[in-house]
Amino acid sequence: MELAAGGFSEEQFWEACAELQQPALAGADWQLLVETSGISIYRLLDKKTGLYEYKVFGVLEDCSPTLLADIYMDSDYRKQWDQYVKELYEQECNGETVVYWEVKYPFPMSNRDYVYLRQRRDLDMEGRKIHVVLARSTSMPQLGERSGVIRVKQYKQSLAIESDGKKGSKVFMYYFDNPGGQIPSWLINWAAKNQSRTKQEAQNQRDLIKFSANPNILQ
């Protein structure tokens, strides 16, 4: 499998594109969690961890694909709207751009932090422009673990966006992370489900972006 820049393979980018066109839900026990306002959220139990993987499919009206992808990649802007960000920045490590992200957790739990690779590519699929973002956890000696903060070592995400043919965006997102520590898996899954239920009342793109960024945020 040939790796593209950033440690991701060409195949991984095209797999995200393919799932945007045709959801891959067969052959596994994906459960429909939420379906509202043109958005469907599915989950699949990861038996090794007791946690869930998530897939999101749908259309965001009145938000162009380029704008949505730009917002998603804009770390500085995210710090303005995401109240759970303690620290977020990019750093060059060994010739690669790495993201460091510390997430606030409610007392008495410790904050979590992530060190991950992220890459965006704008692909052409039979004349259609598709924005794809891939991310996965990594380890860099320059960004070692911090005292009092629990490092999330299992994190992966993919996002694919294209025009819905009107003014909006057709979206696919896959997400999984294991926040570690002593939080029971049932509590993490309950929090994720509770957060996703709020999408039944949410009508704007920012709420979906928050969920896609981290559905395991505890409220």
Side-chain angles (χ1 to χ4, degrees), residues 12-165:
Q12 287 173 309
F13 283 98
W14 288 110
E15 282 177 352
C17 288
E19 190 135 19
L20 179 65
Q21 310 308 313
Q22 182 62 48
L25 300 170
D29 295 325
W30 286 97
Q31 303 172 346
L32 179 62
L33 185 62
V34 173
E35 189 170 36
T36 182
S37 302
I39 299 295
S40 299
I41 302 175
Y42 293 83
R43 69 178 184 177
L44 175 67
L45 180 65
D46 181 85
K47 295 181 180 179
K48 292 182 179 179
T49 62
L51 301 172
Y52 284 97
E53 304 171 60
Y54 293 90
K55 287 185 178 182
V56 179
F57 304 92
V59 173
L60 301 179
E61 299 179 355
D62 300 321
C63 187
S64 72
T66 299
L67 177 60
L68 186 58
D70 289 345
I71 290 174
Y72 194 81
M73 295 291 291
D74 192 335
S75 297
D76 289 332
Y77 180 56
R78 179 172 182 175
K79 287 183 280 189
Q80 299 178 31
W81 57 259
D82 189 347
Q83 62 180 316
Y84 297 105
V85 171
K86 175 71 179 294
E87 194 172 357
L88 177 63
Y89 60 87
E90 295 182 355
Q91 180 173 322
E92 291 296 318
C93 297
N94 304 330
E96 294 183 309
T97 301
V98 179
V99 180
Y100 176 83
W101 173 33
E102 182 178 343
V103 181
K104 299 175 186 177
Y105 269 60
F107 180 83
M109 290 180 288
S110 300
N111 287 355
R112 266 58 177 172
D113 68 0
Y114 299 71
V115 174
Y116 61 95
L117 299 171
R118 181 179 66 181
Q119 186 184 6
R120 170 183 169 180
R121 294 188 62 187
D122 299 336
L123 304 177
D124 184 288
M125 177 178 276
E126 299 177 348
R128 302 196 314 276
K129 186 176 183 179
I130 301 179
H131 307 279
V132 180
V133 180
L134 300 181
R136 63 171 175 82
S137 54
T138 189
S139 177
M140 293 289 176
Q142 301 93 321
L143 295 168
E145 297 185 30
R146 300 181 177 185
S147 176
V149 180
I150 295 176
R151 177 63 49 88
V152 176
K153 298 178 180 178
Q154 293 178 277
Y155 163 70
K156 54 184 176 180
Q157 183 171 18
S158 58
L159 177 70
I161 311 166
E162 72 169 335
S163 172
D164 68 346

